[in-house]
Amino acid sequence: MDFIEGETVYFDKPLSWTSFDLVNKFRYKLSRKLKIKKIKVGHAGTLDPMATGVMIICTGKATKRIEEFQYQTKEYVATLMLGATTPSFDLETDIDATYPVAHITEDLVVETLKSFTGEIRQVPPVYSACKIDGKRAYELARKGKEPQLKEKTLVIDEIELMAYEMPIIKIRVVCSKGTYIRALARDIGEALSSGAHLTGLVRTRVGDVTLDKCMLPDEIDDFLENVT
């Protein structure tokens, strides 16, 4: 493999790691392997620290393909807790409000999910990397400010209920670039006349790249040792 000319490698990002943590780890180990100080390394599609799953990392001239990968369809498996919300829409922040759930049936969830297929409008989370006047929204949110984010149009190709164990549900989502599954959880909670936040998120596919094709950070050394 020629990492300077350009290669793509697939990772299963661990829980609590940022996307940049993973890029930095691979860049450091790759630089030592190649015995060079600098090499271009980037990722195709950010994953939140509270999410795990498929992350494509590109090196060298292959970084020009990042946008191509970002536009490929993505699949997620998300675990939602109904009846409670958090400011970040996931476990990064504490529960700030609770709502009734006694009226929520499995049939109601199934019917509600159907309304989220196709082209939808979504307001990104305030705890996101969206930029407002040159600053990341999450930087403003963590300072106690309330950034106003604009709606975006996106496409949900498929959404299905995988498990229903109130107040927990698990869903599978196939969607376009720019979809925030945390925001989708928020909107599903509201559509159910309740609240919701993510308690788990796994990106299971990006284009044709599935989890079974991905390595963990602990496997980087062995991977680099065996590549030619």
Side-chain angles (χ1 to χ4, degrees):
M1 300 180 79
D2 189 337
F3 292 102
I4 297 175
E5 182 62 24
E7 298 288 351
T8 58
V9 289
Y10 312 138
F11 282 97
D12 180 355
K13 186 192 80 67
L15 187 67
S16 80
W17 285 44
T18 68
S19 301
F20 292 110
D21 288 338
L22 186 51
V23 169
N24 290 338
K25 171 72 77 173
F26 184 66
R27 182 192 292 115
Y28 171 74
K29 288 183 175 290
L30 181 59
S31 295
R32 293 194 65 180
K33 164 73 175 179
L34 300 177
K35 297 180 181 178
I36 57 177
K37 289 187 177 181
K38 288 186 178 181
I39 183 168
K40 188 180 290 186
V41 180
H43 69 80
T46 301
L47 269 179
D48 292 328
M50 293 294 101
T52 65
V54 177
M55 175 159 287
I56 297 174
I57 288 183
C58 302
T59 75
K61 295 178 182 177
T63 53
K64 294 178 181 178
R65 298 187 62 197
I66 283 177
E67 188 172 358
E68 169 197 334
F69 288 122
Q70 287 176 329
Y71 275 94
Q72 292 181 350
T73 300
K74 298 173 178 66
E75 180 184 70
Y76 296 88
V77 172
T79 304
L80 285 64
M81 174 177 281
L82 303 181
T85 57
T86 72
S88 61
F89 310 152
D90 64 7
L91 296 177
E92 184 181 341
T93 53
D94 295 330
I95 290 173
D96 61 355
T98 57
Y99 302 84
V101 294
H103 65 286
I104 301 176
T105 63
E106 185 170 357
D107 287 342
L108 178 61
V109 173
V110 170
E111 286 303 309
T112 300
L113 292 180
K114 289 178 182 178
S115 68
F116 287 92
T117 55
E119 189 174 283
I120 67 169
R121 302 283 290 172
Q122 183 186 83
V123 178
V126 293
Y127 282 79
S128 69
C130 293
K131 284 191 174 181
I132 301 175
D133 297 328
K135 292 189 176 181
R136 301 289 186 185
Y138 64 78
E139 293 174 349
L140 299 172
R142 286 170 182 157
K143 292 179 180 178
K145 299 179 181 179
E146 296 184 9
Q148 299 299 308
L149 298 170
K150 296 180 180 179
E151 277 190 335
K152 294 184 178 181
T153 300
L154 49 92
V155 177
I156 305 290
D157 296 312
E158 299 175 46
I159 184 168
E160 66 168 328
L161 180 65
M162 298 179 67
Y164 171 87
E165 297 179 9
M166 286 297 291
I168 304 296
I169 64 171
K170 182 177 286 189
I171 61 174
R172 183 182 71 89
V173 182
V174 179
C175 57
S176 66
K177 176 184 183 293
T179 305
Y180 283 93
I181 306 299
R182 287 181 291 136
L184 184 62
R186 170 203 61 198
D187 296 341
I188 289 171
E190 291 178 357
L192 290 168
S193 298
S194 185
H197 66 280
L198 282 184
T199 59
L201 181 63
V202 182
R203 185 156 68 193
T204 51
R205 179 169 64 85
V206 175
D208 294 328
V209 180
T210 50
L211 269 175
D212 61 308
K213 299 176 182 177
C214 298
M215 73 176 111
L216 292 166
D218 290 347
E219 300 172 307
I220 294 175
D221 288 336
D222 287 342
F223 167 72
L224 293 176
E225 188 67 31
N226 293 314
V227 294
T228 56

PDB file of all heavy atoms in Angstrom, residues 47-63:
ATOM      1  N   LEU A  47     -18.239  11.619  13.290  1.00  0.00           N
ATOM      2  CA  LEU A  47     -19.086  10.880  14.224  1.00  0.00           C
ATOM      3  C   LEU A  47     -18.962  11.535  15.592  1.00  0.00           C
ATOM      4  O   LEU A  47     -17.862  11.862  16.032  1.00  0.00           O
ATOM      5  CB  LEU A  47     -18.652   9.416  14.330  1.00  0.00           C
ATOM      6  CG  LEU A  47     -19.289   8.398  13.385  1.00  0.00           C
ATOM      7  CD1 LEU A  47     -18.685   7.016  13.647  1.00  0.00           C
ATOM      8  CD2 LEU A  47     -20.800   8.337  13.538  1.00  0.00           C
ATOM      9  N   ASP A  48     -20.100  11.732  16.269  1.00  0.00           N
ATOM     10  CA  ASP A  48     -20.075  12.316  17.608  1.00  0.00           C
ATOM     11  C   ASP A  48     -19.307  11.415  18.571  1.00  0.00           C
ATOM     12  O   ASP A  48     -19.240  10.197  18.372  1.00  0.00           O
ATOM     13  CB  ASP A  48     -21.504  12.494  18.140  1.00  0.00           C
ATOM     14  CG  ASP A  48     -22.273  13.551  17.365  1.00  0.00           C
ATOM     15  OD1 ASP A  48     -21.650  14.505  16.898  1.00  0.00           O
ATOM     16  OD2 ASP A  48     -23.508  13.403  17.254  1.00  0.00           O
ATOM     17  N   PRO A  49     -18.746  11.981  19.639  1.00  0.00           N
ATOM     18  CA  PRO A  49     -18.044  11.161  20.635  1.00  0.00           C
ATOM     19  C   PRO A  49     -18.916  10.036  21.206  1.00  0.00           C
ATOM     20  O   PRO A  49     -18.406   8.960  21.504  1.00  0.00           O
ATOM     21  CB  PRO A  49     -17.684  12.182  21.720  1.00  0.00           C
ATOM     22  CG  PRO A  49     -17.559  13.470  20.993  1.00  0.00           C
ATOM     23  CD  PRO A  49     -18.617  13.429  19.935  1.00  0.00           C
ATOM     24  N   MET A  50     -20.226  10.279  21.340  1.00  0.00           N
ATOM     25  CA  MET A  50     -21.118   9.279  21.913  1.00  0.00           C
ATOM     26  C   MET A  50     -21.563   8.224  20.902  1.00  0.00           C
ATOM     27  O   MET A  50     -22.364   7.337  21.222  1.00  0.00           O
ATOM     28  CB  MET A  50     -22.354   9.952  22.512  1.00  0.00           C
ATOM     29  CG  MET A  50     -22.080  10.833  23.728  1.00  0.00           C
ATOM     30  SD  MET A  50     -21.508   9.894  25.181  1.00  0.00           S
ATOM     31  CE  MET A  50     -19.747  10.210  25.127  1.00  0.00           C
ATOM     32  N   ALA A  51     -21.053   8.321  19.666  1.00  0.00           N
ATOM     33  CA  ALA A  51     -21.392   7.351  18.617  1.00  0.00           C
ATOM     34  C   ALA A  51     -20.189   6.481  18.301  1.00  0.00           C
ATOM     35  O   ALA A  51     -19.040   6.868  18.510  1.00  0.00           O
ATOM     36  CB  ALA A  51     -21.851   8.077  17.355  1.00  0.00           C
ATOM     37  N   THR A  52     -20.464   5.298  17.793  1.00  0.00           N
ATOM     38  CA  THR A  52     -19.411   4.389  17.337  1.00  0.00           C
ATOM     39  C   THR A  52     -19.707   4.012  15.888  1.00  0.00           C
ATOM     40  O   THR A  52     -20.749   4.354  15.341  1.00  0.00           O
ATOM     41  CB  THR A  52     -19.349   3.111  18.189  1.00  0.00           C
ATOM     42  OG1 THR A  52     -20.574   2.368  18.010  1.00  0.00           O
ATOM     43  CG2 THR A  52     -19.193   3.433  19.662  1.00  0.00           C
ATOM     44  N   GLY A  53     -18.772   3.287  15.290  1.00  0.00           N
ATOM     45  CA  GLY A  53     -19.068   2.732  13.980  1.00  0.00           C
ATOM     46  C   GLY A  53     -18.152   3.177  12.865  1.00  0.00           C
ATOM     47  O   GLY A  53     -17.051   3.684  13.087  1.00  0.00           O
ATOM     48  N   VAL A  54     -18.632   2.961  11.637  1.00  0.00           N
ATOM     49  CA  VAL A  54     -17.820   3.092  10.434  1.00  0.00           C
ATOM     50  C   VAL A  54     -17.287   4.509  10.253  1.00  0.00           C
ATOM     51  O   VAL A  54     -18.050   5.480  10.246  1.00  0.00           O
ATOM     52  CB  VAL A  54     -18.636   2.700   9.188  1.00  0.00           C
ATOM     53  CG1 VAL A  54     -17.788   2.907   7.928  1.00  0.00           C
ATOM     54  CG2 VAL A  54     -19.113   1.251   9.277  1.00  0.00           C
ATOM     55  N   MET A  55     -15.975   4.598  10.107  1.00  0.00           N
ATOM     56  CA  MET A  55     -15.341   5.855   9.756  1.00  0.00           C
ATOM     57  C   MET A  55     -14.273   5.575   8.707  1.00  0.00           C
ATOM     58  O   MET A  55     -13.406   4.721   8.893  1.00  0.00           O
ATOM     59  CB  MET A  55     -14.714   6.533  10.964  1.00  0.00           C
ATOM     60  CG  MET A  55     -13.948   7.791  10.607  1.00  0.00           C
ATOM     61  SD  MET A  55     -13.719   8.886  12.007  1.00  0.00           S
ATOM     62  CE  MET A  55     -15.374   9.511  12.174  1.00  0.00           C
ATOM     63  N   ILE A  56     -14.371   6.284   7.586  1.00  0.00           N
ATOM     64  CA  ILE A  56     -13.415   6.126   6.490  1.00  0.00           C
ATOM     65  C   ILE A  56     -12.315   7.170   6.648  1.00  0.00           C
ATOM     66  O   ILE A  56     -12.600   8.363   6.781  1.00  0.00           O
ATOM     67  CB  ILE A  56     -14.110   6.285   5.132  1.00  0.00           C
ATOM     68  CG1 ILE A  56     -15.163   5.185   4.954  1.00  0.00           C
ATOM     69  CG2 ILE A  56     -13.086   6.230   3.991  1.00  0.00           C
ATOM     70  CD1 ILE A  56     -16.001   5.333   3.698  1.00  0.00           C
ATOM     71  N   ILE A  57     -11.072   6.715   6.649  1.00  0.00           N
ATOM     72  CA  ILE A  57      -9.925   7.615   6.749  1.00  0.00           C
ATOM     73  C   ILE A  57      -9.119   7.528   5.460  1.00  0.00           C
ATOM     74  O   ILE A  57      -8.848   6.429   4.958  1.00  0.00           O
ATOM     75  CB  ILE A  57      -9.061   7.266   7.985  1.00  0.00           C
ATOM     76  CG1 ILE A  57      -9.809   7.693   9.262  1.00  0.00           C
ATOM     77  CG2 ILE A  57      -7.697   7.936   7.920  1.00  0.00           C
ATOM     78  CD1 ILE A  57      -9.041   7.473  10.540  1.00  0.00           C
ATOM     79  N   CYS A  58      -8.766   8.683   4.936  1.00  0.00           N
ATOM     80  CA  CYS A  58      -8.026   8.767   3.680  1.00  0.00           C
ATOM     81  C   CYS A  58      -6.646   9.363   3.927  1.00  0.00           C
ATOM     82  O   CYS A  58      -6.490  10.238   4.786  1.00  0.00           O
ATOM     83  CB  CYS A  58      -8.766   9.645   2.678  1.00  0.00           C
ATOM     84  SG  CYS A  58     -10.447   9.096   2.306  1.00  0.00           S
ATOM     85  N   THR A  59      -5.675   8.908   3.161  1.00  0.00           N
ATOM     86  CA  THR A  59      -4.313   9.441   3.274  1.00  0.00           C
ATOM     87  C   THR A  59      -3.851   9.986   1.927  1.00  0.00           C
ATOM     88  O   THR A  59      -4.387   9.608   0.872  1.00  0.00           O
ATOM     89  CB  THR A  59      -3.313   8.363   3.735  1.00  0.00           C
ATOM     90  OG1 THR A  59      -3.039   7.476   2.635  1.00  0.00           O
ATOM     91  CG2 THR A  59      -3.860   7.564   4.905  1.00  0.00           C
ATOM     92  N   GLY A  60      -2.841  10.853   1.985  1.00  0.00           N
ATOM     93  CA  GLY A  60      -2.227  11.354   0.761  1.00  0.00           C
ATOM     94  C   GLY A  60      -3.227  11.936  -0.222  1.00  0.00           C
ATOM     95  O   GLY A  60      -4.165  12.645   0.152  1.00  0.00           O
ATOM     96  N   LYS A  61      -3.067  11.599  -1.502  1.00  0.00           N
ATOM     97  CA  LYS A  61      -3.936  12.133  -2.550  1.00  0.00           C
ATOM     98  C   LYS A  61      -5.356  11.581  -2.463  1.00  0.00           C
ATOM     99  O   LYS A  61      -6.284  12.139  -3.080  1.00  0.00           O
ATOM    100  CB  LYS A  61      -3.331  11.843  -3.927  1.00  0.00           C
ATOM    101  CG  LYS A  61      -2.014  12.568  -4.170  1.00  0.00           C
ATOM    102  CD  LYS A  61      -1.437  12.213  -5.530  1.00  0.00           C
ATOM    103  CE  LYS A  61      -0.090  12.902  -5.752  1.00  0.00           C
ATOM    104  NZ  LYS A  61       0.526  12.516  -7.050  1.00  0.00           N
ATOM    105  N   ALA A  62      -5.543  10.509  -1.714  1.00  0.00           N
ATOM    106  CA  ALA A  62      -6.891   9.944  -1.545  1.00  0.00           C
ATOM    107  C   ALA A  62      -7.790  10.868  -0.730  1.00  0.00           C
ATOM    108  O   ALA A  62      -9.005  10.697  -0.724  1.00  0.00           O
ATOM    109  CB  ALA A  62      -6.818   8.560  -0.888  1.00  0.00           C
ATOM    110  N   THR A  63      -7.201  11.861  -0.037  1.00  0.00           N
ATOM    111  CA  THR A  63      -8.024  12.814   0.712  1.00  0.00           C
ATOM    112  C   THR A  63      -8.918  13.610  -0.240  1.00  0.00           C
ATOM    113  O   THR A  63      -9.915  14.189   0.184  1.00  0.00           O
ATOM    114  CB  THR A  63      -7.155  13.781   1.544  1.00  0.00           C
ATOM    115  OG1 THR A  63      -6.183  14.399   0.684  1.00  0.00           O
ATOM    116  CG2 THR A  63      -6.433  13.038   2.662  1.00  0.00           C
TER     117      THR A  63
END
